[in-house]
Amino acid sequence: MHIRVCKKAVSRHNSHLKQTASILLAALAAALLLAIAGCGKDPATMTDAELGLNAEQARGRRVYNLYCLSCHPAYSTHGNKGPGLRGMYSKPYLPSGLTATDEHVIQSIVQGRGMMPRFGDSVNQRELQDMIAYLHTL
């Protein structure tokens, strides 16, 4: 009788251990998948071709990198001196509170806003349109 009770207890204990091991293995596999997914290339270091940019967007990226990147990280929602711009057009409002439209973005670039200097004398109309095309890819 005592042996039978012990066998049942051991069997239940082993079953519990197998279940715990399965859960731990699944958690480890999930963590590994998340780590691998996070190991993708940083978009900021990718080429225009790797990002799938067309000629207009690639020109806009160069203008952006020249005038905007030092304050506004393109592929981040966190900023340096100004806000990061990833997903800027996917939100209803810009960080300034204006609606997220090309008109308002152009207005902010050309005239400046708050601490942001004006760039109306630095960029021409084509560069501005190219930059807007690029911003839509973020």
Side-chain angles (χ1 to χ4, degrees):
M1 179 89 156
H2 178 67
I3 293 174
R4 191 178 293 157
V5 171
C6 285
K7 282 185 179 179
K8 285 182 181 179
V10 168
S11 177
R12 272 188 259 130
H13 179 70
N14 286 343
S15 174
H16 178 68
L17 285 177
K18 286 179 185 178
Q19 184 180 14
T20 302
S22 294
I23 291 170
L24 287 173
L25 186 58
L28 181 61
L32 183 61
L33 286 173
L34 286 173
I36 290 170
C39 289
K41 243 179 151 179
D42 177 9
T45 64
M46 295 171 70
T47 66
D48 296 340
E50 289 174 315
L51 290 170
L53 302 180
N54 64 30
E56 180 184 34
Q57 294 161 342
R59 288 190 308 268
R61 183 181 189 201
R62 286 189 291 281
V63 174
Y64 180 88
N65 288 346
L66 182 64
Y67 294 107
C68 311
L69 185 60
S70 63
C71 294
H72 301 281
Y75 298 99
S76 174
T77 55
H78 303 289
N80 292 337
K81 295 176 187 170
L85 300 181
R86 187 179 93 204
M88 176 177 71
Y89 280 108
S90 65
K91 301 170 188 158
Y93 298 99
L94 300 171
S96 65
L98 297 172
T99 53
T101 64
D102 290 348
E103 271 184 73
H104 288 141
V105 173
I106 290 169
Q107 177 186 5
S108 296
I109 294 168
V110 171
Q111 297 175 4
R113 180 164 305 285
M115 293 180 64
M116 181 174 156
R118 54 179 280 122
F119 289 96
D121 298 330
S122 302
V123 295
N124 63 40
Q125 192 62 33
R126 179 176 179 163
E127 291 171 324
L128 198 52
Q129 291 304 316
D130 291 346
M131 194 171 8
I132 294 299
Y134 171 63
L135 291 172
H136 276 283
T137 70
L138 302 179

